[in-house]
Amino acid sequence: MFYVTTPIYYVNDEPHIGHAYTTVTADALARWHRLLGEETLFLTGTDEHGLKVQRAAEANGIAPLEQADRFARRFVAAWQALGISNDDFIRTTEPRHHQAVQRLLQACYDRGDIELGHYEGLYSVADEAYVTAEEVPELERQGRPVIRMEEENYFFKLSRYEPALLDWYDAYPGFVQPEIRRNEALGFIRQGLRDFSISRTSIDWGIPLPWDPRHVTYVWFDALTNYLTAAGYGTADPAFPARWAGARHLIGKDILRFHCVYWPAMLLSAGLEPPRSVHVHGYLLVGGEKMSKTRLNQIAPATLVETFGVDGFRYHFLADQRFGPDGEFSFEGMMARYNADLANNLGNLAARVAAVVASKCGGVGPAPRAGSPLAEAAARAYEEAAGAWERVAPSEALEATWRLIREANAFLEANEPWKMDPGPAVDGVLGDALEVLRLVALLASPAVPGSCTEIWRRLGLPGSPEEQRLPAAAAWGGYPGGLPVRKAAPLFPRLTA
Ligand code: MSP
């Protein structure tokens, strides 16, 4: 089972392109694994409890659940508008989640890893975390004020899990990727781990502890458990173990400590295995700064979709932003890459082939040649793309696919079928080019699904790229020939600033 998750997003904030970045990446991965014929579960959702949401609700003069309903709907709508193919959308206010959180809490409590304690310290509401005095100036600079909190809390005995975590990291070197983030997580663990507070008595917007309902669960224990809930943990669904064994989390580096240190320890405490892997990406920066509500530098996906279309939007975040390092977002950069890769390379190939098939082959697509000079390039593109998706490197998968597109364009320019007389020679060249387009529609479909379905249709092929199965469908020669090839409006109209 390929089980891929995004973080669940807080319902105090509008969906912005930072959220979309992770979600589009998870979507493309899910689509790739479906093409491979794997059973796939793709989960996203919203994180609805905690002080941050309670305060946002108060500021809006509404009840927390209404706040959650309102914003959860916005995330659902934003993902629909981006063609996100999630199989499930979890909200932490759902009964199934309540059940899973209580089950996990009870399991850790029964293991003796949750103890009552007293906490007094500095707390950042924006981060939903206790902070140290040294962190305060930087947080305040970022507009994340700190308050003093004094509470009776239950604590999770994270300090006990240092050796078990180090053993886990040793046994599973690919647990956290990329390597630089793995080292960061290992650094946290080796520094020495402090127990962390998992409950609050001062708020009631949360899930009560099963053995002491005066306390509600602190956001992170609640939030992280969503990944178990959707796999069926709370209801002891018989499918749970198989789903959980394939779990891969996609996250931004802001929540590394929670996913790579707290979470595996909580799971080990409850007698469960940590997820198979955690894939961490950097920040999308706008004007050199991370997007955030307080900095007012957030960009809504819809404003970019207006200009670039859904696939133009998706392509940018998959091809132009590398998964891993921070990346600066710029409208100009996005436009340049759109024009180069989509309008020119892919758009031209599709338009040219359709035009020449119309003029030289009566609009009927010829079959490719078995010994085509493009066959090797196509096989290489598949191998490289498959390897890159496996490494969660969408930009590399798309680079490999675009190399094939460029080779096909160069091949057409070298052969100039538009100057040839109708006959077997022109048929051979165009059959090869049509086959490349079929393969590109397949390989690029996780990234730009709508356009690839359209290319498929224009090639006269039945069904859609999504219905194909890899690797069989990637073998050279799948385009049967004899199909009507349609000429139509540009797939990606050229944009000017
Ligand atoms: N609710 C917690 C996560 C709980 S997961 C069990 C949370 N929510 S959040 O709404 O703040 O979303 C954080 C996530 O959104 C990041 O990890 C990342 O996936 C995405 N991003 C938000 N802003 C981002 C950027 N500026 N750049 C890249 N990703 C960003 O934390």
Side-chain angles (χ1 to χ4, degrees):
M1 164 78 84
F2 180 79
Y3 175 26
V4 62
T5 69
T6 73
I8 47 171
Y9 304 110
Y10 286 128
V11 289
N12 69 327
D13 206 357
E14 302 282 343
H16 59 68
I17 59 173
H19 305 126
Y21 175 38
T22 321
T23 309
V24 166
T25 305
D27 181 64
L29 275 177
R31 286 172 183 272
W32 177 259
H33 284 267
R34 289 191 197 111
L35 279 179
L36 290 174
E38 289 177 47
E39 204 184 330
T40 297
L41 174 60
F42 166 23
L43 174 73
T44 187
T46 40
D47 190 353
E48 306 190 349
H49 290 128
L51 197 48
K52 197 166 158 126
V53 173
Q54 189 173 312
R55 288 211 171 153
E58 279 161 18
N60 291 331
I62 54 178
L65 187 58
E66 199 184 332
Q67 165 84 19
D69 285 345
R70 205 178 272 183
F71 281 77
R73 272 200 297 275
R74 294 187 191 169
F75 277 95
V76 168
W79 301 155
Q80 269 170 2
L82 294 178
I84 302 301
S85 64
N86 54 301
D87 300 294
D88 195 354
F89 187 98
I90 188 156
R91 300 186 51 189
T92 54
T93 46
E94 290 175 69
R96 61 172 173 157
H97 182 63
H98 195 109
Q99 240 172 322
V101 170
Q102 291 206 328
R103 183 168 177 212
L104 187 74
L105 282 164
Q106 192 67 52
C108 297
Y109 188 64
D110 292 346
R111 173 68 72 95
D113 284 335
I114 295 181
E115 290 175 0
L116 194 60
H118 178 83
Y119 200 93
E120 200 185 334
L122 300 167
Y123 189 79
S124 157
V125 178
D127 296 286
E128 293 281 15
Y130 280 106
V131 298
T132 60
E134 295 84 72
E135 290 172 299
V136 174
E138 174 59 20
L139 288 167
E140 284 179 345
R141 193 192 68 80
Q142 297 173 7
R144 303 166 97 79
V146 163
I147 57 174
R148 176 157 288 281
M149 287 261 255
E150 190 178 342
E151 279 195 297
E152 180 192 70
N153 285 175
Y154 280 94
F155 282 80
F156 177 78
K157 305 298 286 178
L158 184 66
S159 52
R160 289 182 189 154
Y161 280 87
E162 204 176 305
L165 286 173
L166 291 175
D167 287 350
W168 191 266
Y169 272 80
D170 222 29
Y172 300 94
F175 174 52
V176 175
Q177 299 177 35
E179 187 77 13
I180 179 178
R181 300 295 165 214
R182 176 176 191 270
N183 290 337
E184 197 177 324
L186 276 169
F188 275 130
I189 300 166
R190 291 196 183 116
Q191 242 172 46
L193 296 173
R194 281 193 304 173
D195 300 339
F196 67 92
S197 140
I198 64 146
S199 75
R200 296 279 180 279
T201 49
S202 53
I203 59 168
D204 53 11
W205 182 235
I207 299 173
L209 303 185
W211 63 89
D212 188 350
R214 292 176 304 136
H215 287 252
V216 302
T217 320
Y218 162 65
V219 282
W220 282 100
F221 210 99
D222 173 341
L224 289 161
T225 308
N226 89 85
Y227 306 130
L228 291 177
T229 307
Y233 176 73
T235 52
D237 185 329
F240 168 75
R243 290 188 188 129
W244 185 245
R248 299 173 196 243
H249 302 322
L250 259 53
I251 61 164
K253 67 180 185 184
D254 50 339
I255 52 179
L256 175 115
R257 191 158 34 114
F258 302 108
H259 283 80
C260 304
V261 183
Y262 291 18
W263 183 224
M266 286 157 57
L267 290 162
L268 289 170
S269 166
L272 293 166
E273 290 216 328
R276 181 177 161 150
S277 50
V278 183
H279 302 268
V280 189
H281 66 72
Y283 292 151
L284 209 57
L285 306 173
V286 174
E289 301 247 37
K290 187 189 176 205
M291 254 178 306
S292 77
K293 198 172 171 162
T294 41
R295 288 200 192 99
L296 296 172
N297 61 351
Q298 296 179 338
I299 301 170
T303 57
L304 295 176
V305 168
E306 241 171 64
T307 308
F308 296 96
V310 173
D311 283 348
F313 181 95
R314 296 174 57 104
Y315 185 77
H316 170 77
F317 291 99
L318 292 163
D320 223 4
Q321 298 289 344
R322 285 178 57 214
F323 190 89
D326 289 353
E328 176 73 31
F329 172 81
S330 93
F331 191 83
E332 295 71 23
M334 185 171 178
M335 184 171 285
R337 189 73 185 260
Y338 169 98
N339 280 333
D341 287 7
L342 297 175
N344 289 351
N345 278 317
L346 178 54
N348 275 353
L349 179 65
R352 237 179 193 179
V353 170
V356 189
V357 168
S359 63
K360 305 284 175 181
C361 315
V364 177
R369 297 171 293 189
S372 165
L374 287 171
E376 204 187 299
R380 201 169 42 239
Y382 175 70
E383 287 307 319
E384 288 174 2
W389 286 115
E390 199 48 52
R391 293 193 303 279
V392 189
S395 64
E396 292 169 34
L398 294 169
E399 251 166 55
T401 308
W402 258 256
R403 264 197 297 280
L404 175 61
I405 297 173
R406 281 194 295 271
E407 292 190 51
N409 274 324
F411 167 80
L412 288 176
E413 269 144 36
N415 286 282
E416 301 188 307
W418 43 86
K419 290 190 182 163
M420 295 159 86
D421 289 329
V426 87
D427 286 356
V429 170
L430 289 170
D432 293 351
L434 285 161
E435 173 63 351
V436 166
L437 273 172
R438 183 190 71 87
L439 290 166
V440 165
L442 206 58
L443 297 183
S445 67
V448 287
S451 312
C452 290
T453 302
E454 178 57 14
I455 294 174
W456 201 259
R457 193 189 70 82
R458 292 185 185 184
L459 295 178
L461 289 162
S464 69
E466 277 152 42
E467 292 161 18
Q468 312 308 307
R469 287 295 163 263
L470 296 171
W476 182 264
Y479 186 72
L483 303 176
V485 173
R486 298 179 179 90
K487 279 204 308 185
L491 280 169
F492 303 99
R494 231 194 122 70
L495 296 172
T496 43

